[in-house]
Amino acid sequence: MTTDQETSMSVTETGATIWLTGLPSAGKTTIAYELAGRLRGEGHRVEVLDGDEIREFLSAGLGFSREDRHTNVQRIGFVSELLAANGVKVLVPVIAPYADSRDAVRKRHQVEGTAYLEVHVATPVEVCSVRDVKGLYAKQAAGEISGLTGVDDPYEAPESPDLRIESHQQTVQESAAELYALLSERGAA
């Protein structure tokens, strides 16, 4: 084995979970993928645990009751901690509407000694309903669905997130850069 190979194999990547919480259509997933591209471009190991994909594959069968939402968040928290503990930057754009569910995930990371950052993508519901990426706000307004987070179901915004992004007041690139700066500051980028 050459010295270069030895060096590259001994470098340990610092993992972290970066949880982006916010209302539907707040911009969580868009920001996560923008940041993931930048991190991958720098050679970091990155995974995005998209809430819709998790619901389809890992949490199939769960509904949207408070209990089911909590179970979904805990499953995602477990997987994200496992990946982060193994050197992956894990971007988690998931609503996670309840503070106690998010706190439980943070505590799991603390107990395991794994870095965890909570990012609130603080886009007002009025802006989200105009964006309406998945048509959820229109369906709720038409009476086709109920239990829409932030409209007729609660969303408990983080009181003290590690970062609050006002995505409606800046570009996706600016939002991702703001998050990248936090990661750099915390030694995770």
Side-chain angles (χ1 to χ4, degrees):
M1 189 179 310
T2 68
T3 306
D4 288 339
Q5 288 172 323
E6 288 171 1
T7 303
S8 68
M9 291 180 73
S10 65
V11 174
T12 303
E13 177 82 17
T14 302
T17 293
I18 303 95
W19 197 292
L20 294 92
T21 179
L23 296 173
S25 296
K28 302 176 299 297
T29 303
T30 305
I31 294 167
Y33 278 108
E34 180 70 23
L35 179 59
R38 179 173 181 177
L39 291 170
R40 284 187 185 114
E42 294 178 357
H44 295 277
R45 294 170 49 201
V46 180
E47 287 296 332
V48 177
L49 298 182
D50 181 274
D52 293 334
E53 291 175 1
I54 295 294
R55 277 223 172 249
E56 182 179 350
F57 298 108
L58 186 62
S59 293
L62 289 180
F64 292 91
S65 68
R66 184 180 178 101
E67 183 179 298
D68 282 356
R69 288 177 191 252
H70 179 76
T71 298
N72 185 48
V73 168
Q74 296 317 296
R75 287 177 183 176
I76 298 167
F78 173 79
V79 172
S80 66
E81 193 284 322
L82 187 64
L83 288 167
N86 285 284
V88 178
K89 307 276 189 288
V90 187
L91 301 168
V92 185
V94 173
I95 296 169
Y98 301 110
D100 61 340
S101 296
R102 294 189 308 267
D103 289 344
V105 171
R106 180 185 293 274
K107 285 178 186 153
R108 169 185 292 282
H109 281 71
Q110 288 171 339
V111 165
E112 298 299 328
T114 306
Y116 178 87
L117 298 170
E118 182 178 69
V119 178
H120 180 207
V121 181
T123 308
V125 69
E126 300 79 19
V127 174
C128 293
S129 66
V130 170
R131 289 179 180 172
D132 204 10
V133 177
K134 300 172 193 163
L136 298 175
Y137 293 93
K139 288 179 182 177
Q140 191 277 336
E144 296 172 23
I145 63 169
S146 63
L148 182 59
T149 302
V151 178
D152 61 351
D153 209 53
Y155 176 73
E156 299 169 357
E159 291 180 16
S160 301
D162 295 284
L163 178 64
R164 191 175 316 276
I165 294 176
E166 307 284 341
S167 73
H168 59 292
Q169 296 179 353
Q170 57 193 21
T171 67
V172 171
Q173 293 76 20
E174 289 168 335
S175 294
E178 193 175 353
L179 183 47
Y180 182 87
L182 176 66
L183 293 176
S184 296
E185 175 186 307
R186 302 280 175 95

